[in-house]
């Protein structure tokens, strides 16, 4: 049994109930524990000896409170992302403008940017593909963040039940 690994998992909040039982049994029954685990032994003894009475209705109130927090937090990030997306689009348009402005010096007389409509369509398509891929990267980060919120909520629900 790797006590160090189990303690690390315990402090990270990813240990299973079986692993926590193993740690509890180890710290309650072992007499000659390494000095570096003395504080953990005290913690597990305290957790084992303390019987906490949870008042009735706490779980329901916590779930209701968490639900309200989730509802209020979900609307805020979406609004912020709209600002972020519009800012990213403005930056992209600015970059595209700078690219074409610095690419070739302006001719002395008025002329079309492209003489060939197929070439213009190709550049427009490439630009739109680039903007789409950058936008998708940002949206993927939003999805990852939502998954992290769900994990935290599941952990909170599991802890307070």
């Amino acid at each position: 049994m790797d006590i160090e690994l189990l303690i690390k998992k315990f402090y990270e909040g990813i240990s299973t109930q079986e692993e926590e039982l193993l740690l509890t049994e180890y710290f309650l029954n072992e007499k000659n524990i390494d000095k570096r685990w003395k504080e953990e032994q005290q913690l597990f003894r305290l957790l084992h000896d303390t019987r906490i009475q949870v008042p009735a209705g706490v779980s329901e109130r916590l779930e209701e409170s968490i639900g309200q927090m989730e509802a209020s937090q979900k609307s805020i990030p979406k609004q912020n992302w709209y600002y972020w997306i519009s800012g990213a689009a403005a930056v992209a348009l600015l970059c595209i403008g700078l690219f074409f402005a610095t690419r070739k010096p302006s001719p002395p007389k008025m002329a079309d940017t492209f003489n060939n409509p197929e070439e213009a369509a190709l550049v427009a398509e490439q630009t739109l593909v680039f903007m789409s891929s950058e936008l998708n990267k940002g949206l993927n980060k939003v999805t990852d963040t939502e998954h992290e919120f769900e994990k935290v909520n599941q952990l909170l629900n599991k802890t307070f039940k």
Side-chain angles (χ1 to χ4, degrees):
M1 171 170 48
D2 186 1
I3 296 299
E4 188 171 353
L5 176 65
L6 292 177
I7 289 173
K8 182 179 178 187
K9 289 175 74 175
F10 175 77
Y11 282 125
E12 289 175 355
I14 58 174
S15 60
T16 64
Q17 287 182 342
E18 293 81 17
E19 291 170 334
E20 290 175 18
L21 285 174
L22 285 172
L23 282 170
T24 302
E25 289 176 14
Y26 174 77
F27 286 123
L28 290 178
N29 298 326
E30 192 69 31
K31 301 295 181 207
N32 297 323
I33 291 184
D34 191 340
K35 290 180 183 178
R36 62 184 173 157
W37 306 126
K38 288 294 182 183
E39 290 181 13
E40 281 75 13
Q41 184 180 30
Q42 291 174 352
L43 172 69
F44 277 91
R45 283 187 177 169
L46 179 66
L47 289 173
H48 181 265
D49 294 340
T50 306
R51 302 287 184 235
I52 299 173
Q53 296 294 328
V54 178
V58 168
S59 178
E60 291 81 13
R61 289 188 304 226
L62 280 173
E63 287 177 10
E64 180 181 333
S65 178
I66 290 171
Q68 290 173 352
M69 286 174 38
E70 284 178 343
S72 68
Q73 289 178 352
K74 284 185 179 179
S75 64
I76 293 170
K78 287 180 183 176
Q79 291 172 353
N80 288 341
W81 282 107
Y82 291 130
Y83 293 122
W84 184 87
I85 290 170
S86 62
V91 169
L93 289 174
L94 179 65
C95 290
I96 292 169
L98 287 173
F99 172 76
F100 285 114
T102 59
R103 187 171 174 207
K104 290 181 182 178
S106 299
K109 57 182 181 176
M110 295 289 282
D112 287 342
T113 308
F114 293 97
N115 293 329
N116 184 349
E118 292 175 357
E119 185 180 345
L122 180 63
V123 170
E125 181 181 350
Q126 290 171 345
T127 303
L128 291 173
V129 167
F130 171 75
M131 289 175 55
S132 174
S133 68
E134 293 299 310
L135 184 61
N136 286 335
K137 287 179 189 176
L139 293 175
N140 286 339
K141 289 183 181 181
V142 170
T143 303
D144 293 342
T145 303
E146 288 177 353
H147 289 301
E148 290 299 321
F149 274 119
E150 289 175 15
K151 288 179 186 177
V152 168
N153 286 331
Q154 289 173 356
L155 180 63
L156 286 174
N157 286 336
K158 179 181 174 184
T159 302
F160 291 116
K161 282 190 180 181

